[in-house]
Amino acid sequence: MDHSMYLAKTIHLAAESIQSGGGPFAAIIVDPNGAIIGQGTNSVTNDNDPTAHAEVVAIRDACNTINDFQLEGCTLYTSCEPCPMCLGAIYWARPKAVYFAATQEDAAAVGFDDAFIYREIEKPYKERTIPFYAYEINEKKRPFQMWEALATKTEY
Ligand SMILES: [Zn+2]
């Protein structure tokens, strides 16, 4: 695996993204044979989609390519260290490793500061910038009971 070659590709894609009005981020996903099976650039502003970070777009693309909801044995390369949302998405997709080029600090220096989200996670619900409320309602466990009883479910 030539990690620097794959990372160089993400940087090339990130530069292209800027030129087409997107954000300065890109990611690719490589299968165990070294083939690129997915790629993505940050299209938050172009698509009015706050979840369209490069890593999430690349995960969707790769999963579509292999027709699976897991990226077993694959490697994710990204032009910048993933934010907390993408970190979560990466854990759900379960690639075997992540390689990143620029760091969180590099991104924060040009206005992409996601460190505050990491700090929010540790705060009590009501002290968060966006408060969370655990609300008591009848039948709150009903979807889980239905899921548990379902014989035909696809576990993930
Ligand atoms: Zn992200």
Side-chain angles (χ1 to χ4, degrees), residues 138-150 153:
N138 288 339
E139 296 198 304
K140 69 179 182 183
K141 293 182 182 173
R142 197 160 78 86
F144 296 148
Q145 291 158 352
M146 291 171 65
W147 175 254
E148 224 170 24
L150 184 67
K153 61 181 173 263

Side-chain angles (χ1 to χ4, degrees), residues 53 55 82-86:
H53 287 196
E55 298 90 334
C83 78
M85 175 182 72
C86 293

Side-chain angles (χ1 to χ4, degrees), residues 53-105:
H53 287 196
E55 298 90 334
V56 169
V57 174
I59 288 168
R60 287 180 181 148
D61 189 38
C63 287
N64 187 49
T65 298
I66 63 172
N67 194 29
D68 201 339
F69 50 82
Q70 304 278 260
L71 296 173
E72 195 179 339
C74 296
T75 304
L76 187 147
Y77 294 88
T78 177
S79 62
C80 183
E81 187 173 357
C83 78
M85 175 182 72
C86 293
L87 175 84
I90 288 163
Y91 270 82
W92 289 122
R94 301 185 181 110
K96 70 173 181 183
V98 173
Y99 291 83
F100 63 89
T103 64
Q104 281 183 47
E105 291 75 23

Side-chain angles (χ1 to χ4, degrees), residues 3-155:
H3 304 307
S4 59
M5 182 192 78
Y6 292 123
L7 282 174
K9 182 168 176 64
T10 67
I11 290 163
H12 175 74
L13 288 171
E16 278 186 349
S17 172
I18 296 166
Q19 284 162 349
S20 60
F25 303 94
I28 61 172
I29 292 164
V30 175
D31 76 8
N33 300 318
I36 296 171
I37 57 167
Q39 68 179 53
T41 58
N42 180 299
S43 62
V44 169
T45 55
N46 277 347
D47 292 340
N48 290 324
D49 180 354
T51 70
H53 287 196
E55 298 90 334
V56 169
V57 174
I59 288 168
R60 287 180 181 148
D61 189 38
C63 287
N64 187 49
T65 298
I66 63 172
N67 194 29
D68 201 339
F69 50 82
Q70 304 278 260
L71 296 173
E72 195 179 339
C74 296
T75 304
L76 187 147
Y77 294 88
T78 177
S79 62
C80 183
E81 187 173 357
C83 78
M85 175 182 72
C86 293
L87 175 84
I90 288 163
Y91 270 82
W92 289 122
R94 301 185 181 110
K96 70 173 181 183
V98 173
Y99 291 83
F100 63 89
T103 64
Q104 281 183 47
E105 291 75 23
D106 296 328
V110 293
F112 295 101
D113 186 6
D114 50 30
F116 86 95
I117 300 177
Y118 283 106
R119 293 194 294 271
E120 289 281 300
I121 293 168
E122 297 163 6
K123 289 183 185 174
Y125 296 146
K126 287 175 190 170
E127 290 176 22
R128 290 177 179 171
T129 304
I130 300 172
F132 279 42
Y133 302 99
Y135 202 85
E136 279 307 315
I137 183 169
N138 288 339
E139 296 198 304
K140 69 179 182 183
K141 293 182 182 173
R142 197 160 78 86
F144 296 148
Q145 291 158 352
M146 291 171 65
W147 175 254
E148 224 170 24
L150 184 67
T152 57
K153 61 181 173 263
T154 302
E155 305 264 10

